[in-house]
Amino acid sequence: MFRRSDDFPFTRLLEDSWRDVLDEYRNVAARVDAWPETQYYKGDWGTFGLYAFGHKQAANCVACPRTTKLVEQIPGMVMAGFSRLAPGTHITPHKGYGGWAEFVLRCHLGLAVNDRCALRVGSETRQWQAGKTLVFCDAVEHEAWNSGDTERVVLLLDFRNPEFRRKLLNPDLTPEMEQYIRSQWRDLGAKQKLHYWLWRAMNVRRNA
């Protein structure tokens, strides 16, 4: 469900700096990649990652130094990046990755919004506001849509749920996500490749 942003002091830091974050998004907007798991959405959903499951995407962070500095100040931050929904896009009802979503909370910082885009979490629906945050539990069924004529852009980040801060995060890999990682293999660093193989090995062992 939605949580109170005021309960997490870092949200004020994000909200105070949202225009800087939007400026950096505009500088990298042409580099946004389509989200590979197309079963989750209809339309055009693109992302530009800074941190993925705790691992820094170094080249992308260099392109967004102010945003990177902001998210690195967030306690327990494990994922961060830009999320763009083109007009007419619908992320259909779903829950987050098993083994991951229940141990993190998700925060959206509104950057570019319109009055016909919204986010439903459980039984509650809210609209994004430019310069404001929404915090929610990704393990609860949720969906998002942009029925407006302009794109919807947020800075999306996951941070460890304080109630489960000692839990090991190890999400299941869908075939689509695995295929996407392998398609980007030549651009990954040695650390990222090692993390992928360890991550895959843990999932195979757990699901055996």
Side-chain angles (χ1 to χ4, degrees):
M1 297 297 186
F2 286 102
R3 307 295 181 93
R4 286 173 46 89
S5 290
D6 291 347
D7 290 341
F8 306 98
F10 72 81
T11 59
R12 181 62 181 272
L13 179 67
L14 294 175
E15 292 176 356
D16 287 346
S17 304
W18 78 274
R19 293 185 186 278
D20 289 339
V21 177
L22 176 58
D23 284 344
E24 291 197 330
Y25 162 73
R26 288 170 174 160
N27 291 337
V28 300
R31 297 167 55 186
V32 167
D33 290 322
W35 186 252
E37 296 169 300
T38 55
Q39 72 271 25
Y40 289 129
Y41 66 98
K42 300 174 182 177
D44 181 1
W45 176 21
T47 62
F48 184 86
L50 301 174
Y51 274 80
F53 301 112
H55 287 254
K56 189 171 187 175
Q57 310 300 293
N60 288 358
C61 288
V62 168
C64 302
R66 290 173 292 180
T67 303
T68 298
K69 184 177 180 180
L70 280 172
V71 301
E72 288 179 343
Q73 296 178 62
I74 295 171
M77 184 275 298
V78 287
M79 184 180 295
F82 296 107
S83 173
R84 178 183 70 195
L85 297 185
T89 300
H90 179 204
I91 300 178
T92 53
H94 68 286
K95 296 181 181 180
Y97 290 114
W100 174 269
E102 57 264 50
F103 301 132
V104 298
L105 295 176
R106 178 155 292 177
C107 177
H108 284 183
L109 172 66
L111 300 175
V113 302
N114 62 68
D115 59 6
R116 296 176 62 196
C117 58
L119 171 68
R120 178 187 67 81
V121 180
S123 60
E124 187 176 1
T125 299
R126 295 188 184 182
Q127 290 186 305
W128 295 277
Q129 299 179 54
K132 298 296 182 181
T133 54
L134 292 175
V135 178
F136 62 97
C137 179
D138 177 52
V140 177
E141 183 187 83
H142 57 287
E143 63 179 318
W145 59 89
N146 179 10
S147 301
D149 298 324
T150 59
E151 67 180 9
R152 184 240 59 177
V153 181
V154 300
L155 176 68
L156 179 154
L157 58 94
D158 286 350
F159 61 99
R160 286 179 178 265
N161 187 335
E163 298 172 8
F164 301 108
R165 61 185 178 275
R166 294 183 179 84
K167 293 288 185 178
L168 175 67
L169 302 180
N170 182 33
D172 291 325
L173 284 171
T174 65
E176 293 80 10
M177 180 59 75
E178 215 172 349
Q179 182 179 5
Y180 176 74
I181 292 171
R182 298 304 297 272
S183 74
Q184 305 295 312
W185 195 253
R186 293 202 299 180
D187 295 327
L188 299 181
K191 270 189 174 182
Q192 292 170 318
K193 291 178 179 178
L194 176 61
H195 175 64
Y196 166 76
W197 285 117
L198 291 173
W199 184 15
R200 189 176 186 280
M202 290 177 73
N203 274 272
V204 169
R205 183 170 67 248
R206 185 176 59 183
N207 295 328

